[in-house]
């Protein structure tokens, strides 16, 4: 089977959800339907979809927040469903990292075509280079250990690369200095986590265009650091 991809549909209008479900299944997709934002986040974790079709206006947690939280933990493609009047929200959807959007009322056939196209694009990217992590103005290759910043190749020490690659592999996740120490330094260090601080500072001067206002390598006050995708 070509299309065994899992699609999570988040839509609170039962009629719309039902039609989308039917068309996606007919095309061979494995579909899960949920009707609100809270259920969407729970289902996202357990169903592990390859793509999410996400309505913008949802009860309890809205589509924007759902999209933001999905983006904080994965690169799973998201297609937003928006009402015609929601022009601004449409843009916000893309700013939030949604891959595409479809305005309501939409033809289910068109939605299925978009799903197929976005999945193909995502699949090609994943196949092209599974070890390359790519972000806004920054990419790193886990095999060649090459790093490209906005102004070209960046030279990092082995430890700096390991630290950067580790946090970038877990976008949005907050790590304490001790956790980073354990993950990146492969020997039991005598507990001086200021090493992490020093490495993080050096990394910022190398990969951040404005190290005092980092785009990716964020400090989480009182806790540690996180990589913002
Ligand atoms: Ca809705």
């Amino acid at each position: 089977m070509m299309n065994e991809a899992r699609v999570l549909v988040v839509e609170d209008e039962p009629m719309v959800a039902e039609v989308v479900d039917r068309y996606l299944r007919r095309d061979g997709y494995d579909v899960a339907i949920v009707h609100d934002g809270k259920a969407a986040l729970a289902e996202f974790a357990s169903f592990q979809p390859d793509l999410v079709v996400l309505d913008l206006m949802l009860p309890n947690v809205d589509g924007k927040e759902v999209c933001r939280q999905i983006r904080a933990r994965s690169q799973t493609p998201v297609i937003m469903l928006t009402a015609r009047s929601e022009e601004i929200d449409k843009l916000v959807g893309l700013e939030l990292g949604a891959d595409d959007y479809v305005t309501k009322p939409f033809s289910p056939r068109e939605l299925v075509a978009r799903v197929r196209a976005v999945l193909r694009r995502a699949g090609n990217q994943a196949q092209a280079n599974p070890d390359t992590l790519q972000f806004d103005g920054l990419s790193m290759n886990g095999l060649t250990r090459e790093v490209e910043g906005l102004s070209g190749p960046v030279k990092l020490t082995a430890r700096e690369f390991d630290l950067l690659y580790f946090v970038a592999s877990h976008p949005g996740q907050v790590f304490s200095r001790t956790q980073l120490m354990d993950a990146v330094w492969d020997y039991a260090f005598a507990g001086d986590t200021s090493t992490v601080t020093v490495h993080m500072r050096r990394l910022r001067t190398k990969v951040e265009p404005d190290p005092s206002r980092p785009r990716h390598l964020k400090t989480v006050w009182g806790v540690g650091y996180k990589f913002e995708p």
Side-chain angles (χ1 to χ4, degrees):
M1 275 287 285
M2 277 287 288
N3 303 326
E4 279 165 347
R6 285 186 299 274
V7 180
L8 172 61
V9 177
V10 189
E11 169 60 78
D12 57 317
E13 289 159 69
M15 295 256 287
V16 178
E18 199 257 327
V19 171
V20 170
D21 183 39
R22 185 149 34 95
Y23 272 78
L24 285 171
R25 281 181 195 283
R26 190 184 293 168
D27 228 52
Y29 293 104
D30 188 359
V31 185
I33 306 270
V34 291
H35 303 286
D36 66 74
K38 225 170 145 185
L41 292 170
E43 191 69 18
F44 182 79
S46 60
F47 184 57
Q48 303 200 331
D50 300 297
L51 182 142
V52 181
V53 174
L54 179 61
D55 186 27
L56 196 60
M57 305 295 272
L58 290 169
N60 66 56
V61 181
D62 72 10
K64 272 190 254 180
E65 184 55 28
V66 173
C67 187
R68 201 173 290 135
Q69 295 205 25
I70 288 174
R71 266 300 152 273
R73 61 193 76 163
S74 83
Q75 311 260 42
T76 306
V78 175
I79 298 178
M80 287 279 203
L81 300 178
T82 73
R84 232 186 327 196
S85 58
E86 293 164 341
E87 293 296 323
I88 296 164
D89 285 337
K90 219 158 62 176
L91 296 171
V92 171
L94 291 176
E95 273 169 28
L96 283 173
D99 295 79
D100 203 352
Y101 62 86
V102 174
T103 47
K104 290 179 174 180
F106 57 88
S107 110
R109 232 178 272 279
E110 191 204 332
L111 176 63
V112 172
R114 297 283 186 97
V115 166
R116 207 181 297 135
V118 169
L119 277 174
R120 196 186 307 125
R121 215 156 64 205
N124 288 346
Q125 270 169 16
Q127 272 162 18
N129 205 335
D131 298 294
T132 297
L133 300 176
Q134 196 114 32
F135 302 94
D136 186 19
L138 181 65
S139 78
M140 60 216 90
N141 184 312
L143 288 181
T144 63
R145 300 174 70 92
E146 285 165 339
V147 178
E148 257 328 286
L150 272 181
S151 44
V154 181
K155 267 201 145 9
L156 299 181
T157 67
R159 203 66 83 183
E160 286 164 358
F161 180 88
D162 290 342
L163 179 59
L164 178 65
Y165 197 79
F166 178 77
V167 290
S169 303
H170 303 83
Q173 198 174 326
V174 180
F175 294 100
S176 70
R177 287 172 182 80
T178 309
Q179 283 172 321
L180 291 173
M181 197 96 223
D182 287 346
V184 177
W185 278 258
D186 47 3
Y187 49 92
F189 215 79
D192 188 5
T193 55
S194 65
T195 305
V196 177
T197 316
V198 171
H199 276 77
M200 197 55 88
R201 196 182 305 141
R202 253 190 253 138
L203 262 182
R204 280 181 181 147
T205 63
K206 291 184 177 183
V207 304
E208 295 279 3
D210 182 357
S212 61
R213 295 182 56 200
R215 158 79 182 81
H216 294 297
L217 295 168
K218 302 275 195 187
T219 297
V220 181
W221 293 110
V223 189
Y225 301 99
K226 70 170 176 179
F227 186 93
E228 185 88 15

